[in-house]
Amino acid sequence: MSPPPQFCLPFGSTRVKQLQLQHPNDSASTATLTSMTSAATKLQFTEDTESYFQSSPAQTSPMPSRTASGGSVDKPKGLTRMLTWRRHDSTSTLVSDEPAFGKKTDEPTEILDTTSRLVALRKKMLEETIDYFIIPSEDGHLSEYVADSDKRVRYISGFTGSAATAIVSKRSAYLFVDSRYWIQAEQELDGNWTVHKTGTPEIKDWLDWAITCPRGSKIAIDSRMISHERATKLYKGLCERGSKLAHPRQNLVDLIWDDRPQRPKNPVFVQPVEFTGKDIKEKLSDVRRWIRKQNAAIGKDKGVTRHASNASQSKPGATPPKETIKRSNTSPNGASGKLSSTPPPQPPSAVPARMNNPGVKRSNSSPSAAAGPSGADKISAVFVSDLASIAYTLNLRGSDILYNPVFTAYLLIGVEGKTTLFIDKVKVPTEVRDYLHENGVSIREYSDVWTFLRAKQWGDGKVVINPDTPYAVSLIIGSSRYSVLPSYIEEIKAVKNDVEVSGMRAAYIRDGVALVRWFAWLDQKFSQGYEITEWEASEKLTNFRDDELRAPGAPKMFQGPAYENIVASGANAALPHYAPSQGGSKMISRDEPFLVDSGGQYRDGTCDTTRTVHFGYPTVEQAEAFTRVLQGHMAIETAVFPAGTSGSQLDVLARKALWRDGLNYLHGTGHGVGSFLNVHEGPHSFQSTTPLQPGHVITNEPGYYKDGEFGVRIESALLVREVVTKRQQDEDMWLGFERLTQAPIQLKMVRASMLTKDERQWIKDHNNNVRKTLEPYLAEDKRALKWLRRECQKGFGNEGKGSAGLSIEWD
């Protein structure tokens, strides 16, 4: 997918303009400090009308199926859920029947005039005596991608990207975006806005900027749209400057957004255990077992109380204990490898220590007997606000957010077996209601969550929240009744079991077949003289995925795109998050690099693949940039590393070849991927310090972007697995990667003279393996089969190209 942000750049950028960091003298604030406790007493979410309108339930299934008919191909051995397609040789086209139709599609996108909206917002700010109002792009669950009803940044600014923070003062308006959106923000905003580029030495992120607002300022934010961890940091920083953090009872943007879309009411549905590998009872039992381990740990701490407000701190400069890494022959989900270590000292915001390393597999055995805490000190429940974690735990899926099969809800899991799902009941069909009831899950209305938390209706004891829980939750619960721990559900969700891994492999083969058929279609249309826009190509790619491989009578697996297709030609490819529109896309050029970043959502897996190709002949500069990116891609995929290694420790491998030529990219190298869930998944990534472990799926997507000219990115999804090394000891565990993505790499873009012999052989093997994997599924599409074989058996580049068009490959 479009690459993740680079939150902490390990380098500076001499090309980044020096940015103005002064805050305008908007006005002197008369705000005074108030305590977080008083803020909590004013915070009320008894009804959700502050943020959402009501709507009627959806009348149709959110993901309709299309009946297949016609022939099939022989199913290859070894894939139990691979599908066959209905008879279709992909000869249909979205383009005109005229070889060179001329439809003007590159007119500039209209820029929104935000003047009236900012005037209305500032009027509300004046009524609340607010000096700065912060508007994050996240929703009340801190989701990266949100429903239309939560796109407040887009409404107030006109910016269409998925990640940004707007800050409006009495006289100015600022938009904070990371490197993925620097160019896009400049293009989309009107003159009322100033773009601040985050992730640079000048501005790390919006929070640090906000803390430096003039002393005595009153800064406000909807407490549901900032995490506990970041809100605590912001509150502390503002207090030190004599400023105040306030939380209006209603979101000010919602108050001025007259035509705000209704909150989605699409029905949820069950994700069968044949795709998940674990049923709901097993998952809930895992969480409750983990709670008991935390209580056992507290019992061993001899009365030391730990919670967010008064956690004991380790001594400054203390050296953390060294980890002891050993191999285990057993694993709860079929992937061998388990690490054990002494728990490190806890930071001030943590409570109590997890009993095993966060990057390792856990044993399902019960913890050793220990006297746990009682009464108010014990942990009684876990509160879950993350939508993907709720969907994973309950084996449910939805369609409230475009491209993300999740649904809006909150979840509370009690240690004694009581589980409560807060959701709009109209979204729960009878069969799902019965399913939840059978598994001990009660249902309450979505807006009831605030009354439930305020009244402490879970009973005695504390509730576990994680650092990314919305701040509104911790404010309402009160610091004496919650403990802050990293999300256990997020950790176990990230480790795919054998069933999920099998499904991911099948999904990537299915997605690879669609990509090959699409590239073959493009190639033929261009050779026939057609002109095709980026938007037309994007729509056709989705059509090929929809025309999926499946056996007669088998259920439809394709559920829609995993994210908005990035189909970009030339200069548009230099925008990491570019997405073509019907009226604003350009014709695909034969003289510039062409980038496609796209993936499908399937019942058995989520896909994310990027390839860069050229339909003509690349320049030396383009080919050299592509080759350096490819070398970084190869370095990551071929890496072998000891257990306990994090993605951040491997990140430099992807950049080394680019750095050699003074090139770089400012986004992250890769992210975790869900199993028919969100395409961005944590806690692991190539920016994270979370150790990689068998079962993690992570993307490998280095790139290079030359503003206004072209962009290159190559992305494949990788499965972390255990490998055997030549001289490893019996108790050592070494890890490496298995590539899931099945899509060839275009050799035309490669300069072979820059590669080592091993690198040249790797590329040949890569394409040969892709060809062997996909050929059986292309028997009925002769055009696609011919294209695949040609692309995978070509020689390197055109640097030895003679007048006769002969491509010479040097060994």
Side-chain angles (χ1 to χ4, degrees), residues 755-796:
L755 302 176
T756 67
K757 183 177 180 180
D758 287 343
E759 288 172 333
R760 291 197 298 271
Q761 188 60 49
W762 181 93
I763 300 171
K764 293 179 184 178
D765 292 342
H766 173 282
N767 281 357
N768 193 43
N769 290 334
V770 169
R771 177 183 60 80
K772 289 180 178 179
T773 300
L774 298 185
E775 274 184 338
Y777 307 101
L778 293 169
E780 294 190 9
D781 193 332
K782 304 302 182 183
R783 178 179 60 192
L785 185 60
K786 179 180 179 181
W787 181 90
L788 175 67
R789 289 171 174 170
R790 186 183 72 236
E791 287 297 309
C792 292
Q793 295 172 351
K794 276 184 176 180
F796 287 100

Side-chain angles (χ1 to χ4, degrees), residues 582-603:
Q582 184 172 8
S585 64
K586 64 183 290 186
M587 294 291 180
I588 297 173
S589 171
R590 278 77 149 182
D591 301 319
E592 300 172 306
F594 174 71
L595 185 151
V596 56
D597 184 340
S598 181
Q601 286 281 14
Y602 303 91
R603 291 300 294 269

